[in-house]
Amino acid sequence: MSKDDALRLAEKQNTDLVLINASAKPAIAKLLNANKYFYEQKRKEKEAAKKQRESQIIVKEMQFRLGIDQHDFETKCNNIKRFLEKNNKVKCVIRYKGRENANKQVGFEIMDRIVEFIETCDWETKPSINGNRMIGVLMRKEWGNIIKATRYLRVDYMSK
C-alpha cells in the first residue's frame, strides 16, 4: 500500500499512521493510537532499565567497632541480611583506634559472629587486616557454590 493510501485510511478511521520499522523494505507502519503506542514503548523501556538495575551487583559497606553493643550488632546484621537478599555484596569493615590496635584478634571474633548470625552468607574475601582496618566481603551462599563449581570445572578442564 502506498504512503498516501495509508494516510487516507488512517484519517478515515480517525487513527494515526505510526512507522514501526523504517529500515525494512518496504517500510512497516501501523494504524493505531500514537499516544498509546509511545506510552507503552516508554513503559517497556523503563521496565527493561529497572530489570537491568536490579541485576547489577552492588557492594554495600557496613562498619563495625570493637565495642559494639549486642543490639547495635543485631541491627547491623539485619541490614546486611536485607542487602544480601537484594543480591548485593556487603563489605564489612572494622576500624581500630588507639589501643584497640593491640587487640586485632577481637575483630576476627566479630567477623565470625557476623557469619554465625546471618547463616545465609559466606566470605567472598576472607577478613584481612589492612593498616588500622579489617576488611572482609560477604556474599550469599548460593553464589559461593556457583563460583566454587566454576572454579572446579576450570581446574578439571585444565588438568586434562
Side-chain angles (χ1 to χ4, degrees), residues 80-160:
I80 290 173
K81 277 184 189 178
R82 209 177 65 231
F83 295 147
L84 291 173
E85 287 170 0
K86 293 181 180 178
N87 294 332
N88 295 323
K89 293 181 182 179
V90 180
K91 180 166 89 171
C92 296
V93 178
I94 297 178
R95 294 181 304 159
Y96 296 99
K97 283 189 177 179
R99 293 185 182 181
E100 292 175 349
N101 283 311
N103 298 324
K104 300 266 186 184
Q105 72 279 1
V106 178
F108 286 106
E109 293 171 7
I110 291 174
M111 292 290 198
D112 290 338
R113 281 177 49 204
I114 292 170
V115 174
E116 288 173 14
F117 186 85
I118 296 176
E119 297 173 353
T120 60
C121 70
D122 199 9
W123 293 110
E124 181 183 40
T125 58
K126 298 261 185 205
S128 61
I129 296 173
N130 186 6
N132 67 341
R133 298 174 139 216
M134 179 182 292
I135 300 172
V137 179
L138 288 170
M139 65 178 177
R140 284 179 33 192
K141 278 189 179 176
E142 299 90 56
W143 290 354
N145 294 337
I146 292 169
I147 290 171
K148 288 175 188 172
T150 56
R151 285 185 187 155
Y152 177 75
L153 290 173
R154 287 182 190 158
V155 170
D156 193 30
Y157 174 75
M158 300 275 257
S159 65
K160 287 185 180 180

